[in-house]
Amino acid sequence: MAAKAGDNPDSLMTLATVFCLRNLRKTMCYQGFSNKLCLRSDIFLPSEICDKLVNTYMELVHTDSNFEPEESFFQLFSDPRSTRLTRVQLREDFVRDRDLEAIRKQDLIELHLTYCNSLSSRSLKTLTCFRETLVSLCLFGCSRIFYRKGGAPLACNEDTEDEEDESPASRQALETDFNFQGFNRLRLLNLGGLPDEVDAETLLKPLKSLTLLDLSNVQLLGTAFLTQWKDRLASLVLYNVDLSEELVNTVVELVNLRHLDISRESRRTSKSKMNRKILTAIVQCLVNLVSLDISGHIMLDNCTVPLFEEAMGRPSIEPCKSSIYPFQELKRPLQFLGLYDTTLCNVTHIPAYKVTGSKNEDQVLNAIETYTEFRPELAHRAINQLFDIARIQHCSQLLRALQLVIAALKCHKYDKSIQVTGSAALFYLTNTEYRSDQSVRLRREVIEVVLNGMEQYQEVTVQRNCCLTLCNFSIPEELEFQYSRVNQLLLKILEPARQEESIQRIAVHLCNALVCQVDNHHKEAVGKMGFVKTMLNLIQKKLQDKMCDQVMEFSWSALWNITDETPDNCQMFLNCRGMSLFLECLQEFPDKQELHRNMLGLLGNVAEVKALRPQLLTPQFITVFSNLLDSKADGIEVSYNACGVLSHIMFDGPEVWSMEEPRRDTVMDKMWDAIQSWDVSSRRNINYRSFEPILRLLPQSIAPVSQHWATWALYNLVSVYPSKYCPLLIKEGGISLLEKVLELDSSQPETKDMARKVMEQCETFKEDPMETNHGQEVNYGQRG
């Protein structure tokens, strides 16, 4: 059997790493003084394992809400004699100065810090500890690292750090004592987002051997200083740096460049236009170029060939056929060409193997892949275009699209725009059209990032997109691995007194589906989360608004499901004024058949709990149940469920019937009349997982009418749906109990006759198990 998309298993290394991180005290560590986490003395870990531990730890912190960060985690790597770190990637505000200080004795080769806005100039001091070994350094988006906390000078004393001092005012003192003196091995440097107050030229002057430099979003006073690396520099990124004449003249001198990025966020922010002369100069002078990004620039028309020439022939990547004049001088096609948010991406002949743009799905996916990590503002727009492709057209690269959107949502968990567009795209990428191509693992990844978004943002659009995406999954089966978490999030959505109507409706639908067809321990756990009270609060609000809509009906249906064979949840229903709301709903909405069916189904569950039945045995409730025996709502369902409630009450015997009115005999007579009026071939809107509550009513003489209701129920189900209910009845010992009904003198003749028919139906089914009735019951809820 062929593997589905995204079904590749994790490596043993990955599985072992995650296990150790989730169980540090049981594997590598012990609890030291003051609850400090300490590495066991017999542990010695090489760099391959240590790097994996730190980088996976950061991923778990940002993507797994169940993962608990360890305050002293980085201290585990403080001694290079037992742990070796070489390549570390840290991101977001979670990283503190003390974390870097903890690993300052390590001989780091690569250190990537991205959006670490909690770092201050203390971490610049720590960086100098790595100056003799560091080859690659990224400080992208770490602008605060160039400021002192509270104006304090550079320090490396753990006791001086005030983690709470995060106000902007505390960051105003620019650190002027730091430069890259002594970083002689440094080859790759990313200073994207360097503060305007920091002079890049002065900062970089000590570096003699750079081969890669990223100065994205950096304000440069001049660019001539870049020529000091003209013999070495292979990659230069100047994203959102103004394309001045001086800059162009400088760039063309860097003759060893293989990658050049002079792109912009948007044409709207572009101060100059990209013309044929500039592109020609780049192509002619930078003969080693294999990658070029000029996204976001306004392009002059003189860059492209006339339309009639452009339309000739099939699309080609050969430079001589290029629709863009300057690129006709290329010796070979580029490996990469960034044309996102330019008119050039729409031409036919583009001499590059990989192109970013918005013309087609491939260009859009390339844009998401290229820009996600450091340019979420572009990735957001590209994901939005993917959303349109998946919604209006057809996504032909489904696995790649899903993996890219998942990666973007994980990488930018705290970026609202990415979460909005990403969750919207996931809704269309996981719908029925694409479902058969997706593996279990891939769909689980989708669920996890959706739940991350729901946790992080209470904003209406994100919540709605996430809830709608969850509706694309088989519930509860596909959500069971995150069962508790998803229920908690949905209940949180439903907490506000006046939630947005569409979200409320979807969330209640999901809640109902999640408690249908699950084990009782799941229902009990969800009940303890406040499920019953939340549903009753929704019902109360709808009553106040005098509105019986889907939210009202789904709420009662959810209560019906969650109380099935769970006495604790039934007790919660009674404790939270459930019966009062039942009566109010009956009075306010006398003609709502679906509502009545759901409410009576729920009360049937309550009536099955012997300890709770006395609370139903009041003149008011018995009169209501007795009157509902005459109901024709939803076929026989309301009458059937009302009779079921009364059957369990009657089973407790005449001695508990302390009221004068209505009389017990009168109610039993009405029950007989109701049962006689039902069509035994009625199709049912109910789904029994067990017959146990019905079977307990069979071998008894206390209430013959209860026995008759139970026998009728069994005959109806095994004759209309034999393939489902004959095996269930046989499995649960129903045949022997029916034989006892035949033996009892108190059993009524019509009850015995029906018991024989049930036994005959099951015997016939055993001889010929092919179902003769092709009807299928509608699973509106669990067994009522």
Side-chain angles (χ1 to χ4, degrees):
M1 183 177 176
K4 290 188 176 182
D7 212 14
N8 298 328
D10 285 325
S11 66
L12 181 58
M13 174 72 159
T14 297
L15 294 172
T17 301
V18 172
F19 179 83
C20 288
L21 289 170
R22 294 187 187 280
N23 301 274
L24 284 171
R25 287 165 182 79
K26 296 178 182 178
T27 54
M28 303 161 45
C29 306
Y30 65 93
Q31 200 81 36
F33 181 70
S34 300
N35 290 325
K36 185 177 180 181
L37 197 64
C38 300
L39 196 68
R40 281 171 36 191
S41 59
D42 58 344
I43 295 288
F44 301 93
L45 300 174
S47 60
E48 293 85 356
I49 293 177
C50 290
D51 292 348
K52 184 79 172 176
L53 282 167
V54 171
N55 296 331
T56 304
Y57 174 80
M58 291 305 300
E59 184 178 345
L60 288 172
V61 165
H62 292 300
T63 61
D64 188 342
S65 63
N66 294 322
F67 184 76
E68 289 291 332
E70 292 286 353
E71 185 70 21
S72 55
F73 175 77
F74 288 93
Q75 286 291 333
L76 299 177
F77 305 91
S78 60
D79 188 351
R81 291 173 297 181
S82 54
T83 55
R84 292 286 178 88
L85 283 173
T86 55
R87 293 173 172 84
V88 176
Q89 298 179 9
L90 310 177
R91 61 182 298 122
E92 308 292 350
D93 297 353
F94 171 80
V95 184
R96 303 297 177 115
D97 289 328
R98 62 168 174 257
D99 298 327
L100 276 186
E101 288 169 2
I103 61 173
R104 65 184 180 272
K105 294 180 182 178
Q106 296 285 352
D107 293 334
L108 293 188
I109 295 173
E110 292 180 11
L111 176 60
H112 288 192
L113 304 173
T114 310
Y115 302 115
C116 298
N117 283 314
S118 293
L119 298 181
S120 71
S121 62
R122 284 183 57 191
S123 290
L124 287 180
K125 177 71 173 179
T126 306
L127 286 184
T128 63
C129 299
F130 311 127
R131 62 181 179 268
E132 294 181 3
T133 58
L134 210 56
V135 174
S136 178
L137 174 64
C138 173
L139 298 178
F140 186 88
C142 302
S143 58
R144 289 185 172 184
I145 200 172
F146 292 94
Y147 295 91
R148 302 171 188 166
K149 282 191 175 181
L154 277 176
C156 197
N157 183 346
E158 201 167 312
D159 297 333
T160 65
E161 180 169 15
D162 180 7
E163 296 291 357
E164 303 302 318
D165 188 13
E166 296 291 341
S167 65
S170 69
R171 298 286 188 173
Q172 294 307 305
L174 184 68
E175 181 53 65
T176 57
D177 294 341
F178 175 82
N179 61 43
F180 285 106
Q181 191 70 45
F183 286 75
N184 297 326
R185 297 190 64 193
L186 195 61
R187 299 292 185 270
L188 293 78
L189 178 61
N190 186 334
L191 292 178
L194 188 72
D196 293 346
E197 295 92 332
V198 178
D199 180 17
E201 181 175 354
T202 303
L203 185 67
L204 296 171
K205 191 173 182 179
L207 298 173
K208 304 300 182 186
S209 305
L210 284 182
T211 59
L212 181 150
L213 179 60
D214 189 329
L215 295 175
S216 297
N217 292 298
V218 175
Q219 184 175 326
L220 299 177
L221 301 178
T223 58
F225 74 95
L226 295 172
T227 59
Q228 67 180 302
W229 303 294
K230 67 179 180 180
D231 295 329
R232 287 183 169 272
L233 206 58
S235 175
L236 178 62
V237 179
L238 300 172
Y239 172 67
N240 271 346
V241 176
D242 290 337
L243 190 64
S244 64
E245 185 177 351
E246 182 195 4
L247 177 60
V248 174
N249 292 334
T250 300
V251 164
V252 297
E253 288 189 54
L254 306 175
V255 293
N256 288 309
L257 279 181
R258 294 176 58 80
H259 170 67
L260 173 64
D261 185 340
I262 50 174
S263 62
R264 297 195 63 82
E265 177 181 345
S266 169
R267 280 179 280 181
R268 292 194 304 267
T269 63
S270 185
K271 295 180 181 179
S272 58
K273 296 181 180 180
M274 178 68 71
N275 56 42
R276 183 172 176 176
K277 179 182 176 183
I278 295 172
L279 274 182
T280 301
I282 290 172
V283 171
Q284 289 178 343
C285 298
L286 306 181
V287 294
N288 296 309
L289 212 59
V290 295
S291 173
L292 175 66
D293 200 333
I294 54 173
S295 300
H297 279 287
I298 299 171
M299 298 292 174
L300 293 181
D301 292 338
N302 65 357
C303 286
T304 56
V305 301
L307 282 175
F308 70 90
E309 288 184 33
E310 212 258 334
M312 293 174 63
R314 299 177 61 185
S316 172
I317 63 169
E318 291 302 317
C320 62
K321 297 180 181 179
S322 173
S323 300
I324 306 165
Y325 278 126
F327 295 150
Q328 291 178 357
E329 298 192 35
L330 287 168
K331 298 290 189 294
R332 66 193 69 82
L334 294 170
Q335 294 296 318
F336 171 84
L337 180 57
L339 299 177
Y340 192 74
D341 194 24
T342 71
T343 55
L344 297 184
C345 72
N346 296 309
V347 301
T348 302
H349 309 296
I350 302 176
Y353 293 101
K354 183 175 181 180
V355 179
T356 65
S358 54
K359 180 183 180 181
N360 53 43
E361 179 183 335
D362 200 49
Q363 288 187 3
V364 168
L365 292 177
N366 288 340
I368 299 172
E369 185 175 56
T370 303
Y371 304 130
T372 286
E373 184 172 10
F374 295 126
R375 299 175 197 176
E377 63 278 8
L378 295 186
H380 152 66
R381 286 155 58 191
I383 293 172
N384 206 34
Q385 288 159 340
L386 175 63
F387 163 79
D388 286 333
I389 290 170
R391 178 174 62 93
I392 301 169
Q393 304 169 34
H394 176 80
C395 183
S396 59
Q397 300 180 57
L398 176 66
L399 173 60
R400 185 182 178 208
L402 267 176
Q403 288 175 333
L404 288 174
V405 174
I406 289 170
L409 288 168
K410 284 183 176 181
C411 185
H412 297 287
K413 181 180 176 181
Y414 309 105
D415 187 312
K416 179 182 167 184
S417 62
I418 290 281
Q419 293 297 319
V420 169
T421 55
S423 56
L426 286 181
F427 170 70
Y428 285 100
L429 291 170
T430 55
N431 66 18
T432 308
E433 179 185 359
Y434 302 112
R435 182 172 182 172
S436 60
D437 299 323
Q438 298 166 10
S439 68
V440 171
R441 179 182 175 185
L442 187 63
R443 289 176 70 80
R444 284 191 170 192
E445 279 192 76
V446 173
I447 291 168
E448 286 171 345
V449 294
V450 163
L451 297 183
N452 287 344
M454 291 174 69
E455 274 174 341
Q456 189 63 32
Y457 293 97
Q458 302 307 308
E459 196 269 338
V460 170
T461 309
V462 175
Q463 296 285 351
R464 185 193 297 113
N465 290 350
C466 291
C467 286
L468 283 170
T469 301
L470 291 178
C471 291
N472 286 337
F473 293 82
S474 296
I475 303 172
E477 295 83 5
E478 288 191 282
L479 299 184
E480 194 157 2
F481 79 107
Q482 293 277 318
Y483 192 78
S484 176
R485 183 183 177 199
V486 70
N487 273 290
Q488 287 174 332
L489 288 169
L490 290 170
L491 292 177
K492 188 174 181 180
I493 288 174
L494 294 170
E495 274 178 11
R498 285 287 181 262
Q499 179 59 275
E500 202 266 349
E501 181 69 25
S502 64
I503 298 178
Q504 195 177 67
R505 184 172 62 253
I506 302 164
V508 174
H509 163 73
L510 286 168
C511 283
N512 187 26
L514 280 162
V515 292
C516 184
Q517 305 282 1
V518 293
D519 294 335
N520 290 347
H521 74 273
H522 277 120
K523 296 181 184 182
E524 289 167 359
V526 174
K528 291 173 182 175
M529 293 178 194
F531 188 102
V532 174
K533 187 174 182 180
T534 299
M535 293 301 139
L536 290 173
N537 286 341
L538 289 173
I539 293 166
Q540 178 71 60
K541 292 171 194 126
K542 291 299 176 181
L543 270 170
Q544 291 169 0
D545 297 339
K546 299 186 183 301
M547 182 182 296
C548 183
D549 57 4
Q550 285 186 320
V551 172
M552 170 74 92
E553 291 180 354
F554 281 155
S555 297
W556 279 108
S557 180
L559 289 170
W560 181 5
N561 283 322
I562 202 172
T563 53
D564 180 37
E565 295 185 37
T566 48
D568 287 350
N569 291 342
C570 292
Q571 179 72 66
M572 284 184 218
F573 170 79
L574 296 177
N575 292 348
C576 296
R577 292 187 59 251
M579 291 305 294
S580 297
L581 292 175
F582 160 67
L583 294 175
E584 289 177 45
C585 285
L586 270 182
Q587 184 176 353
E588 188 65 43
F589 310 112
D591 302 320
K592 294 292 183 179
Q593 298 186 20
E594 178 109 350
L595 176 68
H596 293 186
R597 177 178 66 84
N598 291 343
M599 293 194 298
L600 266 294
L602 156 64
L603 294 179
N605 290 340
V606 177
E608 289 171 7
V609 184
K610 182 176 177 64
L612 301 181
R613 285 200 283 270
Q615 297 186 54
L616 303 180
L617 197 56
T618 69
Q620 183 182 27
F621 293 150
I622 295 298
T623 300
V624 168
F625 299 144
S626 180
N627 291 338
L628 287 170
L629 290 170
D630 300 325
S631 172
K632 304 301 179 187
D634 199 20
I636 68 168
E637 297 301 335
V638 172
S639 177
Y640 171 90
N641 283 327
C643 197
V645 172
L646 290 168
S647 293
H648 287 288
I649 292 172
M650 296 300 175
F651 181 58
D652 289 337
E655 59 274 10
V656 301
W657 198 280
S658 56
M659 70 193 82
E660 293 184 6
E661 290 293 334
R663 292 172 56 83
R664 186 172 185 267
D665 291 343
T666 303
V667 175
M668 287 197 294
D669 288 341
K670 287 197 69 174
M671 291 169 66
W672 277 105
D673 292 342
I675 297 170
Q676 300 290 347
S677 71
W678 301 338
D679 180 358
V680 78
S681 62
S682 297
R683 309 180 80 74
R684 308 301 307 283
N685 292 339
I686 198 167
N687 181 30
Y688 281 91
R689 292 188 302 125
S690 169
F691 282 144
E692 192 276 329
I694 293 177
L695 296 178
R696 73 171 75 126
L697 300 177
L698 290 178
Q700 51 94 12
S701 55
I702 299 170
V705 71
S706 301
Q707 185 187 62
H708 190 63
W709 173 83
T711 310
W712 188 97
L714 293 175
Y715 182 47
N716 166 252
L717 293 167
V718 299
S719 58
V720 178
Y721 310 106
S723 68
K724 178 169 185 178
Y725 289 119
C726 286
L728 181 63
L729 183 61
I730 294 168
K731 177 185 175 184
E732 296 190 337
I735 302 301
S736 61
L737 295 175
L738 288 165
E739 289 172 346
K740 291 182 180 179
V741 171
L742 299 178
E743 296 169 2
L744 288 171
D745 294 336
S746 59
S747 300
Q748 295 297 308
E750 53 263 63
T751 304
K752 291 183 177 182
D753 182 54
M754 198 163 283
R756 291 188 190 96
K757 290 179 180 179
V758 175
M759 295 166 69
E760 289 169 5
Q761 183 69 39
C762 288
E763 190 62 34
T764 302
F765 176 80
K766 282 196 290 184
E767 294 173 1
D768 181 14
M770 295 297 292
E771 180 163 356
T772 56
N773 188 318
H774 297 290
Q776 295 297 318
E777 77 265 52
V778 182
N779 294 337
Y780 284 93
Q782 290 281 48
R783 178 185 52 75

